Amino acid sequence: MLSPVGGVVFLTSSCRDTSNVCKNKIANCKAPIPTYFTIHGLWPTFRNDTPVPPYDPASNNCNPLPTSPDAIVGKLAPIKDKLDKKWPNLLVHKTNVDFWKIEWQHHGMCSDYPNDPLDYFKDTLNLAQSKRFDPFRALGVQPSDQTPHLLNTLLENVYKNFGAYPQITCIMPQKGVLLLKEIHFCLKRTKKRPPSVVQNCSTHVGDRCTNPLTDYVWLRATPTIFSPHNVTSDLLAST
């Protein structure tokens, strides 16, 4: 059970708009870039969307003797092919396994799955692959090169289609251009696994998205070069 600092803990399931993340000027992504939303993580968070701190035996002994990051690799073998597709590392100089170890170290060890990394990653995969958590289905819009979308409209669409407000984050690869970066779905912590009860994220916007009533966000449909590393890809079409 989670007991790092007290307070109510929820889970945030985060999906990355992979193509837009890799248009960020500071992103150095590997090709080919996936043409669908990928998973960033399943994160224990407090009521105000503050992440639960990573496991530390001295300062945050949230679970007794959780499985170490180095020990998860063999346990993930049954779902490795699915993880490679849906939960890949995007950046150069790191492997998919490196990314999974980081996610486990920062979030899994202080989750309700401290000694069950296979179910932690498998349950996250199942969430990401369900129609309910399909980002474009929730957003209610399709990619467009002609029309950006008012951020508040996207938030209201998700509330209508998903049943709860998400958190939407953006990047600004060029001045005045906001691209959707990630969409975070928040779930209540219950005694049952996997999590299934959705709830409003307390913070609805993040990163370069600031004002839902004035921010217009692009979900582009064709390749646009924003990265100094010349990495491009079609905007995501979720699978």
Side-chain angles (χ1 to χ4, degrees):
M1 300 295 287
L2 284 165
S3 56
V5 196
V8 179
V9 178
F10 303 110
L11 294 170
T12 299
S13 178
S14 173
C15 298
R16 296 176 296 180
D17 192 332
T18 308
S19 178
N20 281 347
V21 168
C22 288
K23 291 185 177 81
N24 191 347
K25 289 185 178 180
I26 64 173
N28 191 352
C29 291
K30 297 184 293 188
I33 300 170
T35 56
Y36 45 85
F37 273 93
T38 63
I39 300 168
H40 193 165
L42 182 67
W43 308 327
T45 60
F46 295 108
R47 186 183 295 273
N48 62 352
D49 297 333
T50 301
V52 172
Y55 171 82
D56 184 278
S59 63
N60 185 21
N61 192 17
C62 52
N63 286 309
L65 300 177
T67 301
S68 71
D70 288 337
I72 73 170
V73 180
K75 297 179 183 295
L76 298 182
I79 58 171
K80 184 179 182 301
D81 289 346
K82 292 181 179 180
L83 290 175
D84 283 332
K85 179 181 179 182
K86 198 68 177 178
W87 202 331
N89 165 66
L90 302 179
L91 304 181
V92 297
H93 308 310
K94 287 188 181 296
T95 67
N96 290 349
V97 171
D98 292 331
F99 183 33
W100 304 334
K101 286 183 178 180
I102 290 171
E103 287 300 304
W104 179 254
Q105 181 177 11
H106 286 188
H107 308 290
M109 294 173 74
C110 275
S111 72
D112 285 334
Y113 299 77
N115 295 112
D116 198 353
L118 178 59
D119 275 0
Y120 172 81
F121 284 89
K122 185 167 63 175
D123 285 352
T124 308
L125 276 174
N126 289 338
L127 288 173
Q129 292 172 336
S130 70
K131 289 184 178 179
R132 188 181 190 189
F133 287 85
D134 181 325
F136 275 120
R137 182 186 178 97
L139 291 166
V141 297
Q142 291 300 316
S144 172
D145 288 331
Q146 288 76 41
T147 308
H149 302 278
L150 182 66
L151 181 54
N152 192 60
T153 299
L154 297 180
L155 291 169
E156 293 296 334
N157 284 354
V158 175
Y159 182 80
K160 179 179 67 176
N161 296 327
F162 178 68
Y165 285 107
Q167 182 186 74
I168 293 176
T169 68
C170 303
I171 59 172
M172 187 182 292
Q174 289 182 341
K175 186 176 181 180
V177 177
L178 282 173
L179 303 180
L180 188 146
K181 177 185 177 184
E182 294 185 343
I183 179 169
H184 303 167
F185 299 105
C186 295
L187 304 98
K188 290 184 178 179
R189 183 193 183 201
T190 64
K191 294 181 179 180
K192 294 182 179 180
R193 299 183 343 195
S196 61
V197 181
V198 302
Q199 67 162 28
N200 296 333
C201 295
S202 60
T203 306
H204 295 169
V205 297
D207 290 343
R208 299 306 295 268
C209 282
T210 58
N211 190 334
L213 298 179
T214 59
D215 287 346
Y216 279 82
V217 182
W218 288 93
L219 290 80
R220 294 194 183 277
T222 56
T224 305
I225 299 173
F226 284 125
S227 167
H229 309 287
N230 203 33
V231 176
T232 64
S233 173
D234 288 343
L235 185 69
L236 314 180
S238 59
T239 58

